[in-house]
Amino acid sequence: MTEKKKEKVKCVCHRSWSLKAISFHSAVKGRLITLSKDGRQVTRDVSSFCHGLTFSGRQVKTEEKVCLRVEKCVGRWHGALRVGFAHVSPDQTTLPPLAIPDLTNSPLYAAVVVPADTCRPGSDIQFWLKKNGWLRVQSSDGRTQSVPTALNVKWPIWAIIDVYGQTTMVTMLGSKKKCFTFTRRSCPALTHIKYTEDQDIQQTKKQMSMLEQANPRNVHLVNTEHEGQDCEECVVCYSDVENTRLSCGHKCVCTPCAMKVYMTFGTCPLCRKRLDFFQPYDN
C-alpha cells in the first residue's frame, strides 16, 4: 500500500531548548475570523462582536506563557478579548459564538475576560496555566489577574483566544516558559513539510499515553463484563473511532468525548453506570 503523504506546518529551529513554533489554528476558527501572516494574526469582521473564537495551533505546556499583541480595536462594542485554555482538541470542538459562557459552561474549558482598558492597540497580553491549575493573565502595564479553574494540569491543553467585542485584530507574538536557569522561547520559524500517516499515529499514541498517566482517580482495575458490546465509532460524536475504555467496561467513545462524559455527566452513555475512570488504549 502506498504511504499517504500530507502537508503539515512545523518549526525548523534546530535549537534543542526552543519551544515549538506557535500560531493560531488554521482550520478551527470563528466564522468571522480571517488569518494572515502565516497564521500568526487573526482579524474579526466588525459586523458582529462575537464569532471570533480561535485556538492555538498546537498544545501548550503548563507554565508556558502565550504572548499576544492587540493590533486593532473598535469603539462600537462593549467588552474585549477573552483568553483561556481547553482540554478538548480544537478539531473536536463545535464552535459556539462565544468562549464565555458557551465553552466555559463545561469544566473542560476555562477562560477569563481581559479588561477593555488593557486591550488598546499596541497592548501586549500574556496568559498561562499555572501548576496549581490557576489561570493567570498579565498585561503590558504590569497588571495581573488570577482565577482558579477545574483544569487538570496533567492533561493536554490548547490556548483559547476569543477576539471579542472591541478587540478586532490580534497577533501571536510567540510563547515562553521559564526554567531554572534560563527561559525557553518558541521558535520563530515555520515551514511546510511532508509527513506520513504513521508519524501522525505516533503523535496520537503519545497524547494517549499522557492521558493514561493522568487517570484522574488513579484506578487501574478494568471491568470486562461488557466487552462484547464494544463500538467501532464514538457513540457521542459519531465522527472519531472509539479508543477509550470506561470503568464499566464499555469501549464506545473517543478520548475527548470520554473527558466530556466523565467530567460533565459522570455516567456511561450506554449502560448509565457511574464512571470511576476512563483509560485510553491503542486500537
Side-chain angles (χ1 to χ4, degrees):
M1 182 180 293
T2 303
E3 197 173 38
K4 188 176 180 180
K5 301 279 186 178
K6 294 182 181 179
E7 193 171 81
K8 188 174 184 178
V9 176
K10 279 192 175 183
C11 65
V12 293
C13 178
H14 298 292
R15 296 174 296 180
S16 59
W17 61 86
S18 293
L19 297 168
K20 290 182 179 180
I22 187 169
S23 59
F24 293 99
H25 199 290
S26 61
V28 182
K29 59 187 185 298
R31 63 178 178 85
L32 295 183
I33 287 289
T34 56
L35 274 69
S36 57
K37 295 188 176 180
D38 292 326
R40 293 182 181 272
Q41 190 170 88
V42 289
T43 304
R44 192 196 81 244
D45 190 289
V46 297
S47 60
S48 176
F49 61 89
C50 58
H51 295 291
L53 262 173
T54 62
F55 296 86
S56 59
R58 65 161 172 86
Q59 294 178 27
V60 297
K61 304 176 183 294
T62 303
E63 299 285 352
E64 179 181 354
K65 298 180 179 180
V66 180
C67 306
L68 308 173
R69 176 167 294 159
V70 178
E71 302 287 0
K72 291 184 180 180
C73 298
V74 294
R76 59 189 296 187
W77 307 112
H78 294 288
L81 190 69
R82 280 97 161 95
V83 296
F85 295 97
H87 278 318
V88 182
S89 165
D91 296 309
Q92 301 291 331
T93 302
T94 301
L95 284 186
L98 306 168
I100 303 174
D102 296 341
L103 289 181
T104 54
N105 280 333
S106 165
L108 298 175
Y109 301 86
V112 296
V113 175
V114 181
D117 61 347
T118 65
C119 291
R120 304 301 182 193
S123 300
D124 290 349
I125 306 292
Q126 57 184 8
F127 63 102
W128 64 101
L129 187 68
K130 295 183 63 63
K131 291 180 180 178
N132 61 4
W134 284 57
L135 170 56
R136 176 167 292 182
V137 181
Q138 184 175 43
S139 56
S140 52
D141 62 5
R143 281 188 285 176
T144 62
Q145 56 176 319
S146 299
V147 296
T149 75
L151 300 179
N152 188 326
V153 296
K154 295 182 179 180
W155 290 2
I157 55 172
W158 287 261
I160 302 171
I161 303 96
D162 189 0
V163 186
Y164 172 86
Q166 296 177 6
T167 308
T168 59
M169 180 184 289
V170 176
T171 298
M172 180 81 73
L173 299 179
S175 67
K176 57 186 178 180
K177 179 178 170 63
K178 188 174 182 180
C179 299
F180 290 108
T181 58
F182 65 97
T183 298
R184 298 176 64 192
R185 300 181 184 276
S186 60
C187 174
L190 291 172
T191 187
H192 291 270
I193 68 168
K194 297 292 184 180
Y195 79 106
T196 67
E197 285 187 336
D198 286 342
Q199 291 173 318
D200 205 27
I201 290 171
Q202 290 300 319
Q203 178 64 21
T204 300
K205 287 182 177 180
K206 183 178 179 181
Q207 295 175 7
M208 295 302 102
S209 176
M210 291 175 57
L211 285 169
E212 183 176 352
Q213 294 173 10
N215 185 344
R217 301 191 185 182
N218 200 26
V219 180
H220 301 286
L221 180 64
V222 175
N223 179 356
T224 59
E225 177 184 356
H226 302 283
E227 285 193 354
Q229 302 180 33
D230 297 340
C231 308
E232 292 186 356
E233 66 178 11
C234 175
V235 300
V236 176
C237 65
Y238 293 102
S239 59
D240 277 355
V241 176
E242 55 82 12
N243 59 8
T244 303
R245 186 195 304 270
L246 303 179
S247 58
C248 63
H250 281 130
K251 295 183 289 184
C252 59
V253 291
C254 61
T255 301
C257 289
M259 296 166 67
K260 291 180 182 179
V261 167
Y262 177 84
M263 298 189 69
T264 306
F265 303 103
T267 58
C268 172
L270 292 185
C271 66
R272 303 303 178 188
K273 286 186 178 180
R274 179 180 177 273
L275 296 179
D276 293 318
F277 72 100
F278 60 91
Q279 185 175 22
Y281 65 91
D282 294 333
N283 280 318

